[in-house]
Amino acid sequence: MSHELPKTYDPGAIEERWAEYWVKEKLFSVKTPAQNTQQRVFTLLLPPPNVTGRLHMGHMLNQTEMDIIIRWHRMRGDLTLWVPGTDHAGIATQMMVERQLANEGTSRQQLGREAFVKRVWEWREHYGGAILAQMKRLGASVDWDREYFTMDENLSRAVTEVFVRLHEQGLIYRGKYIVNWCPRCMTAISDLEVVHEDYSGKMYQIRYPVWGEPGQFITIATTRPETMLGDTAVAVNPKDERYVRLHGKKLMLPLLEREIPIIADDFADPEFGSGAVKVTPAHDPNDFQAGLRHNLPQINVMDEQARINENGGPYAGLDRYEARERILHDLEQRGLLVGINDHTYAIGKCDRCKTIVEPRLSTQWFVKIKPLADHAIEAVEKGEIVFTPANYAKTYFEWMRNIYDWCISRQLWWGHRIPAWHCVACHEIIVARTTPGKCKCGGTKLEQDPDVLDTWFSSGLLPFTVFGWPEKTRDLEVFYPTSLLITGFDILFFWVARMIMLGCHFMADHPQGSVPFNEVYIHALVRDAERQKMSKTKGNVIDPIEVTEKYGTDAVRFTLASMASPGTDVAFNEARTDGYRAFANKIWNAARFMFMYRDRIAGAKLTDGASEAQLNRLENRWIYSRFHRVTGEVNDSLRSYRFDEAANTVYKFFWGEFCDWYLEIIKPTLSGNEAEAREGLTLLGDIFEGALRLLAPFMPFITEEIWHAMYVDQAPQKSIALARYPELEERRLNDRAEEDMALLQDLIVNVRNLRAEMKVGPRTKTPVRVHASAQVQGLISENRGMIERLASMEGIEFVPQSLANAPGARSTPNFEVALVYERKVDTAAEKERLTKELTKLEAHLASAQKQLGNQHFLSKAPAPVVDGLKKQAAETQVLIEKGRQALASLG
RNA sequence: GGGCGGUUAGCUCAGCCGGUUAGAGCGCCUGCCUUACAAGCAGGAGGUCCACAGUUCGAGUCUGUGACCGCCCA
């Protein structure tokens, strides 16, 4: 087996190969476990992307976080299941296919319902689920054998079952209410699917003549004058003295010249406008309520495309905005339009197509939500579900406590058809699991309700339906509740809240608890580098596949992980990705370094495990200690979903300690005595292999490639993803080694620093003088070779006298060091540097002394803080003295 | 109108339970193609932690007020 790695890291050359391998080998497939399985279980459900969707950065962030957590759990030995799937996405998909039909010069109406639905299925066969293919390429370690689609037969059956049961329990009802109506999609939509926007429009003042009292008017104000065609009253506040004399009288509705009553109702605000308000029960939710209170007729004046219908008299057939113009014109002619002023108000738009929503009276199906919400609130209050970041629980409560019934019917053709049948004879409605044969009245002509269900109705059931509910399956027993949900805050209400409500309701008797997941991790939005929301119209959308091709999947994943700190949005910055590609390249070259020595040293092996004998060397004790400390930190960070911390910790360790220091230190060992070189290389292999496992959840591709290459014959597992994740081993921690190493690094950096300042050429080796305690001298002597090489120097002379005022010297609390070099120090520059440093030190000492002089501090602050400050003050004092001497000696 | 979040280096962001001299990446400056890596190495500059007031022995961190930016809900 050849271990030649190309000189430059080329992600394109390795990633596709491993991505295919993982899928082909079914490495992440999980079979239904046997009855007696004791393994800890970790389950995650992929928030199903729309079947119409293309992968965007938000998905990639979401999936990266999930994959890191999943790979981490799997490597920790859990039975780890990640279930993928897609959502049929009612409106979105229907729109997509309708657009296609329009291009072909036809329409769904011309096709008819059955043919249209068939057409959508065909569309799905050809184009659906592109996103899952992209996920495969990105290496998401999901169980592809369990892939679902929300319209699958079994899932659809479960949807019917849920609908019927809720109906039986009185939690689903049908009725005529004001709903948000999208005139373009020609369907009702839920409150959540309406986005509110400020709109600079006009407010119109219109006079309504008092019936039978010529010359008397009430003036009302409205932003939607066209709805006056449906007015069935005008309301005034009962306490409003201006109108007391008109109570019980009637008005003439202008244009249609209909008689409408004046009603007294608190909802008319005396402070607003004239204090009188028109009441249109069929086209405004507040008016609808008022209409019910006063028994007013409801006159619907618009059809499903928001054109004025036959109730609009002469305006019938006009679009709502044409009608507005005509009505204003006619009112003006009659002298009834008495004012127009600018007015900014909120309008609702359809989330999907941005058409202005029309509140409209129509018959729909609703879920009575309060009983469901109560349990869902309780589950979070009791801590059965924990939110991270915690403040999202507050947002959740806020919404759940002010929740309205959920309109679940949609006037679409693509989706789960409502399992209700209407008897043509007696209009009875029969809700049933299967098509009923006949009605109670004996009628056999039954027509299924034409509506389909809100897409979120079915996705809200997924945590249990993907495991076979309503059957009592073994999967359900083992995998429900899922362990964690990772998702964006944008679907907190759409999806997360609904899953909790439906899970708590339908899984109430589940032995492991009814909640659909025990934890929810909410991540932020991915924005562009300028913090702008990515959008097609702005043209600032970063295509994850494109950046992936440019920098490699591992680099993009690492970027997202390292920027995913909770609470703030991710401003995706390609410069960062470029930096992490460099990191991947660093890992790559460190591996090449290791393989180079394996080829060079006779009989060398990388995977024999570490030799304890090697631990007599400081650098080895140090790197083991560091590795285990870092391992502990990474595990802690992942436990609390601090992907950013985990990524940064592992990055700093690998690059800043392992590569920059350790590899440099061991070079002579590796090219020296053969036996020692062999041992040294084995130890290097041990550390490297551990580091690869530590990195694997973040960068699965490059670690997989190098890991396999480390084994001469065959790796112990089919994938590094199946190896064990590193765990902190206390016995490897070595404070002493870390302190000693820190001191030596400090010495080396100081010498490098002096060399740079005195402009010593890189090839010139300089001797140094060191003044230090006997103990420190011992440490330096033992590691003389390392120090000389890394600091490009030759010869260390220990001197008894202080070097503080020697030219070109550096002082630290542990040692003083000076270069022996004939070139003169740049006196002016050195003076400046010393002065600056002294100022800093003095300020610091002053503040330390002030605190130490404070009795309250001494008595109240914890001992380690006081001792630390004392030690530090003493050291600072010494450094100041040395600095002053040095400054004085410069003249 | 109600609620939530943010403001730290030129840029993008960390900074955990208040505790020693506030960190990283990118960018910038200086010197190096040192046989793993120039996508690199070594060294360096760069901060009134938005403002004010308070709590505290001690505040980037906690509290209040204000300014600015953003988000969600109505």
Side-chain angles (χ1 to χ4, degrees):
Chain A
M1 188 178 194
S2 166
H3 328 298
E4 269 311 297
L5 298 185
K7 184 169 171 180
T8 306
Y9 158 68
D10 175 14
I14 61 168
E15 290 186 352
E16 231 167 288
R17 179 158 43 86
W18 288 117
E20 279 168 25
Y21 172 83
W22 294 331
V23 175
K24 197 182 86 223
E25 296 285 322
K26 294 182 179 296
L27 293 182
F28 311 123
S29 293
V30 176
K31 297 224 164 56
T32 300
Q35 283 297 336
N36 54 359
T37 180
Q38 292 294 313
Q39 214 177 349
R40 221 167 26 174
V41 175
F42 187 85
T43 320
L44 194 66
L45 192 66
L46 175 79
N50 284 357
V51 66
T52 56
R54 309 281 306 173
L55 195 86
H56 59 66
M57 266 303 172
H59 292 124
M60 190 152 175
L61 170 69
N62 185 242
Q63 290 173 17
T64 297
E65 290 178 346
M66 283 189 280
D67 199 40
I68 289 171
I69 288 291
I70 277 284
R71 283 176 184 267
W72 179 60
H73 273 278
R74 190 182 292 116
M75 289 179 77
R76 287 164 67 84
D78 295 354
L79 180 65
T80 303
L81 172 63
W82 184 9
V83 187
T86 40
D87 192 293
H88 67 279
I91 297 186
T93 313
Q94 176 157 333
M95 273 171 70
M96 197 78 110
V97 177
E98 281 189 277
R99 212 173 298 145
Q100 216 174 47
L101 292 177
N103 286 340
E104 296 165 17
T106 177
S107 69
R108 79 177 150 110
Q109 285 80 4
Q110 282 176 41
L111 230 58
R113 182 162 189 157
E114 208 174 311
F116 177 76
V117 170
K118 202 172 150 233
R119 182 67 192 256
V120 182
W121 277 105
E122 283 166 12
W123 181 92
R124 187 233 168 196
E125 284 308 309
H126 279 105
Y127 309 103
I131 224 167
L132 295 186
Q134 291 173 313
M135 273 182 83
K136 282 182 186 154
R137 167 61 186 78
L138 297 177
S141 62
V142 303
D143 182 348
W144 292 110
D145 291 337
R146 288 173 180 266
E147 181 185 332
Y148 64 85
F149 178 53
T150 47
M151 292 270 280
D152 282 344
E153 215 183 307
N154 54 333
L155 293 187
S156 300
R157 233 188 346 259
V159 168
T160 300
E161 182 66 30
V162 162
F163 186 96
V164 173
R165 284 197 201 178
L166 285 174
H167 186 260
E168 285 167 356
Q169 292 158 356
L171 293 171
I172 281 184
Y173 63 93
R174 183 171 184 265
K176 220 174 169 186
Y177 294 92
I178 292 275
V179 294
N180 306 294
W181 186 273
C182 174
R184 204 224 55 92
C185 303
M186 286 191 275
T187 176
I189 54 180
S190 74
D191 293 340
L192 278 178
E193 289 163 288
V194 178
V195 286
H196 295 270
E197 243 174 58
D198 275 348
Y199 179 77
S200 306
K202 305 259 188 248
M203 177 76 90
Y204 306 93
Q205 274 86 36
I206 303 169
R207 279 180 172 173
Y208 284 23
V210 179
W211 195 269
E213 294 184 22
Q216 295 294 308
F217 304 95
I218 282 186
T219 304
I220 57 92
T222 180
T223 56
R224 291 159 67 216
E226 65 281 8
T227 62
M228 69 177 288
L229 301 172
D231 284 2
T232 53
V234 164
V236 295
N237 195 290
K239 292 188 203 99
D240 193 335
E241 287 170 10
R242 289 172 291 180
Y243 298 109
V244 172
R245 66 167 203 92
L246 294 173
H247 286 181
K249 301 213 167 168
K250 304 241 188 284
L251 296 172
M252 187 197 67
L253 181 65
L255 308 179
L256 294 187
E257 312 205 333
R258 225 171 44 221
E259 190 181 283
I260 56 170
I262 297 169
I263 59 169
D265 194 295
D266 286 339
F267 102 109
D269 177 3
E271 307 292 313
F272 187 79
S274 64
V277 54
K278 65 196 267 308
V279 183
T280 323
H283 291 283
D284 182 278
N286 291 320
D287 294 9
F288 175 76
Q289 293 300 331
L292 291 181
R293 285 195 294 274
H294 295 272
N295 248 321
L296 299 173
Q298 302 159 336
I299 305 177
N300 189 343
V301 297
M302 289 186 206
D303 66 12
E304 68 275 9
Q305 292 181 63
R307 288 179 310 218
I308 305 301
N309 65 14
E310 67 282 1
N311 293 328
Y315 305 98
L318 293 177
D319 169 78
R320 52 182 163 166
Y321 299 117
E322 288 168 11
R324 178 179 296 179
E325 292 313 311
R326 283 277 292 280
I327 285 168
L328 290 169
H329 174 260
D330 294 350
L331 286 169
E332 196 168 13
Q333 292 242 307
R334 289 164 173 72
L336 296 171
L337 182 62
V338 292
I340 304 176
N341 51 288
D342 292 336
H343 184 67
T344 301
Y345 53 98
I347 51 159
K349 290 186 170 178
C350 173
D351 190 24
R352 207 29 78 184
C353 69
K354 311 302 173 206
T355 304
I356 295 177
V357 163
E358 198 61 39
R360 181 168 179 265
L361 191 67
S362 70
T363 303
Q364 303 289 344
W365 293 86
F366 296 85
V367 172
K368 197 172 161 192
I369 210 78
K370 205 93 195 132
L372 297 176
D374 287 344
H375 286 119
I377 290 168
E378 204 184 309
V380 177
E381 279 173 344
K382 279 165 53 188
E384 289 166 26
I385 298 174
V386 176
F387 281 86
T388 306
N391 59 311
Y392 278 107
K394 225 191 257 178
T395 312
Y396 168 84
F397 287 135
E398 197 67 33
W399 189 70
M400 289 296 258
R401 287 178 181 139
N402 298 296
I403 199 166
Y404 293 98
D405 283 356
W406 174 17
C407 174
I408 49 170
S409 45
R410 296 289 180 277
Q411 288 64 53
L412 303 174
W413 287 354
W414 174 241
H416 299 101
R417 189 108 175 233
I418 288 179
W421 284 262
H422 302 257
C423 173
V424 174
C426 72
H427 302 296
E428 175 76 17
I429 295 170
I430 306 158
V431 170
R433 288 171 179 80
T434 52
T435 312
K438 62 175 185 182
C439 176
K440 275 184 287 190
C441 75
T444 51
K445 247 192 123 190
L446 297 170
E447 284 170 0
Q448 187 168 5
D449 196 295
D451 293 353
V452 301
L453 288 163
D454 181 4
T455 300
W456 298 103
F457 188 88
S458 52
S459 46
L461 310 170
L462 289 171
F464 47 96
T465 54
V466 292
F467 298 122
W469 189 95
E471 309 302 323
K472 286 195 162 38
T473 64
R474 173 72 183 145
D475 274 350
L476 206 52
E477 203 173 284
V478 179
F479 297 119
Y480 192 92
T482 62
S483 314
L484 171 70
L485 179 76
I486 300 188
T487 191
F489 64 80
D490 49 329
I491 53 174
L492 183 60
F493 306 137
F494 277 112
W495 193 48
V496 182
R498 267 97 179 241
M499 278 192 287
I500 299 176
M501 289 190 279
L502 293 164
C504 288
H505 188 73
F506 283 98
M507 297 300 288
D509 55 355
H510 191 67
Q512 275 89 253
S514 63
V515 294
F517 29 75
N518 298 311
E519 285 187 73
V520 182
Y521 175 81
I522 306 254
H523 63 243
L525 223 64
V526 183
R527 297 167 172 276
D528 74 2
E530 275 75 48
R531 305 204 67 75
Q532 297 289 306
K533 217 169 181 167
M534 290 188 196
S535 78
K536 277 181 205 147
T537 43
K538 276 189 220 151
N540 63 343
V541 176
I542 305 169
D543 177 5
I545 298 295
E546 252 170 54
V547 266
T548 288
E549 276 164 7
K550 192 164 162 198
Y551 300 101
T553 309
D554 286 334
V556 181
R557 285 171 62 114
F558 211 86
T559 310
L560 292 167
S562 72
M563 300 194 75
S565 38
T568 46
D569 288 343
V570 175
F572 191 88
N573 196 338
E574 253 187 67
R576 286 281 287 257
T577 314
D578 199 30
Y580 292 123
R581 177 181 55 170
F583 179 48
N585 189 52
K586 191 76 183 175
I587 299 168
W588 189 259
N589 278 291
R592 286 183 57 240
F593 171 90
M594 176 174 67
F595 292 134
M596 184 185 84
Y597 283 102
R598 173 170 65 183
D599 294 346
R600 208 177 272 177
I601 303 166
K605 265 184 104 175
L606 296 169
T607 50
D608 273 359
S611 145
E612 294 288 324
Q614 283 284 314
L615 292 180
N616 60 8
R617 305 181 79 110
L618 172 63
E619 66 267 23
N620 292 339
R621 291 194 301 277
W622 170 74
I623 197 69
Y624 269 114
S625 185
R626 290 302 306 146
F627 176 75
H628 282 280
R629 211 175 288 281
V630 161
T631 293
E633 286 169 17
V634 170
N635 278 315
D636 285 347
S637 297
L638 287 177
R639 249 188 289 279
S640 48
Y641 309 114
R642 288 303 304 263
F643 301 96
D644 57 329
E645 264 182 19
N648 292 333
T649 303
V650 74
Y651 175 95
K652 271 193 251 174
F653 169 75
F654 196 91
W655 198 324
E657 301 191 281
F658 180 67
C659 289
D660 286 349
W661 288 96
Y662 187 70
L663 294 187
E664 291 304 325
I665 291 170
I666 63 168
K667 275 177 182 174
T669 310
L670 295 180
S671 42
N673 165 302
E674 197 166 86
E676 278 198 21
R678 222 169 7 242
E679 275 197 353
L681 186 72
T682 305
L683 191 133
L684 169 63
D686 193 55
I687 295 281
F688 207 117
E689 196 270 344
L692 286 175
R693 282 183 285 121
L694 198 64
L695 269 162
F698 305 91
M699 301 187 130
F701 292 99
I702 192 172
T703 52
E704 185 85 297
E705 177 77 10
I706 297 170
W707 191 72
H708 282 277
M710 283 185 74
Y711 293 89
V712 179
D713 304 317
Q714 201 169 27
Q717 268 91 19
K718 277 186 167 179
S719 165
I720 192 172
L722 304 179
R724 285 306 291 253
Y725 202 67
E727 285 285 346
L728 186 157
E729 291 171 34
E730 296 280 347
R731 71 188 174 95
R732 295 292 194 193
L733 296 183
N734 190 328
D735 291 346
R736 186 56 200 274
E738 291 193 37
E739 279 163 30
D740 286 351
M741 192 65 198
L743 191 149
L744 296 181
Q745 288 173 320
D746 196 20
L747 176 65
I748 291 163
V749 168
N750 269 291
V751 174
R752 283 172 178 169
N753 200 301
L754 284 169
R755 289 173 54 89
E757 246 160 51
M758 295 170 82
K759 304 207 187 318
V760 182
R763 280 192 196 76
T764 315
K765 309 266 186 211
T766 46
V768 301
R769 294 204 184 92
V770 172
H771 170 72
S773 69
Q775 196 201 339
V776 172
Q777 283 188 32
L779 178 67
I780 293 173
S781 302
E782 279 163 36
N783 297 282
R784 182 184 291 264
M786 171 208 303
I787 299 163
E788 287 187 335
R789 210 166 44 79
L790 297 185
S792 309
M793 64 195 209
E794 209 158 42
I796 300 173
E797 184 195 347
F798 294 111
V799 295
Q801 73 279 17
S802 167
L803 293 165
N805 51 3
R810 284 299 159 88
S811 300
T812 76
N814 292 306
F815 57 80
E816 293 162 12
V817 61
L819 283 197
V820 181
Y821 189 60
E822 71 280 10
R823 191 169 305 178
K824 275 271 180 269
V825 196
D826 180 343
T827 316
E830 183 65 1
K831 263 184 177 168
E832 196 189 320
R833 187 189 68 79
L834 277 168
T835 311
K836 210 165 154 189
E837 195 176 301
L838 272 172
T839 315
K840 235 167 98 182
L841 288 171
E842 279 159 1
H844 179 234
L845 182 65
S847 96
Q849 278 170 342
K850 193 178 149 204
Q851 273 208 76
L852 287 169
N854 185 328
Q855 276 310 313
H856 295 289
F857 172 69
L858 296 176
S859 58
K860 287 187 182 173
V865 173
V866 176
D867 292 347
L869 193 63
K870 276 184 184 162
K871 188 178 163 213
Q872 187 211 326
E875 282 174 5
T876 309
Q877 180 78 62
V878 172
L879 288 178
I880 288 173
E881 274 158 28
K882 288 177 181 175
R884 283 186 184 144
Q885 281 179 45
L887 199 57
S889 73
L890 288 172

